[in-house]
Amino acid sequence: MAMTLKSGGGDPDVMVDINTTPLIDVMLVLLIMLIITIPIQLHSVNLDMPQGNPPPPAKEPVVVTIDVDFDGTVLWNGEALGDRAALESRLQQAAAQADQPEVHLRPNKLVAYKSVAAVMASAQRLGVTKIGIVGNEQFAK
């Protein structure tokens, strides 16, 4: 802080002003340092994509379709399951296979989310790794 005194006749009043020139200089130096340290932004995303065509699968995968009806009824390949224990036993059998089947989950548009989430949670907990939701086009407006 710099203090300046008025010179001249009369009362010697003390004027207390902050000299802002050094503060502005420090701010400009910090701004330049910030600009220099910002990494250069690239407008592209570098991906390592596989080369060539993958070989076709030796056999078609087994597909299990689980439908969840509007009232929460669960269907395993079109067969209604009585309760959650029956669903979990079937999912456990599917997860125990060496070559797991693909599980296609098709929820009805009117079903409550908790019914679909319960099926997905059971599948995940029991170790089903190949699961996908089919029929999403019905949810688009």
Side-chain angles (χ1 to χ4, degrees), residues 64-69 72-97 101-107 111 113-128 131:
V64 174
T65 304
I66 299 177
D67 294 313
V68 183
D69 208 1
T73 305
V74 179
L75 304 167
W76 182 279
N77 285 337
E79 176 187 344
L81 299 177
D83 57 355
R84 187 168 175 160
L87 171 67
E88 289 186 356
S89 68
R90 296 236 181 145
L91 286 172
Q92 193 169 21
Q93 290 172 359
Q97 295 177 8
E102 291 182 5
V103 177
H104 292 181
L105 179 61
R106 286 193 309 192
V111 70
Y113 177 73
K114 67 179 182 177
S115 301
V116 179
V119 172
M120 291 191 310
S122 296
Q124 181 185 17
R125 188 179 72 251
L126 295 171
V128 176
I131 186 167

Side-chain angles (χ1 to χ4, degrees), residues 127-141:
V128 176
T129 57
K130 299 178 181 178
I131 186 167
I133 298 178
V134 180
N136 291 335
E137 62 275 357
Q138 66 179 333
F139 300 109
K141 289 186 176 188

Side-chain angles (χ1 to χ4, degrees), residues 13-95:
D13 291 331
V14 176
M15 290 190 53
V16 179
D17 290 332
I18 296 177
N19 188 359
T20 58
T21 304
L23 296 176
I24 293 173
D25 292 344
V26 169
M27 182 195 64
L28 290 175
V29 168
L30 290 175
L31 181 65
I32 291 170
M33 289 175 60
L34 176 71
I35 291 172
I36 291 172
T37 59
I38 292 176
I40 298 172
Q41 297 294 320
L42 300 177
H43 294 288
S44 64
V45 177
N46 298 329
L47 297 176
D48 294 328
M49 299 299 290
Q51 301 297 324
N53 294 329
K59 61 177 184 170
E60 290 295 319
V62 178
V63 176
V64 174
T65 304
I66 299 177
D67 294 313
V68 183
D69 208 1
F70 68 94
D71 59 352
T73 305
V74 179
L75 304 167
W76 182 279
N77 285 337
E79 176 187 344
L81 299 177
D83 57 355
R84 187 168 175 160
L87 171 67
E88 289 186 356
S89 68
R90 296 236 181 145
L91 286 172
Q92 193 169 21
Q93 290 172 359

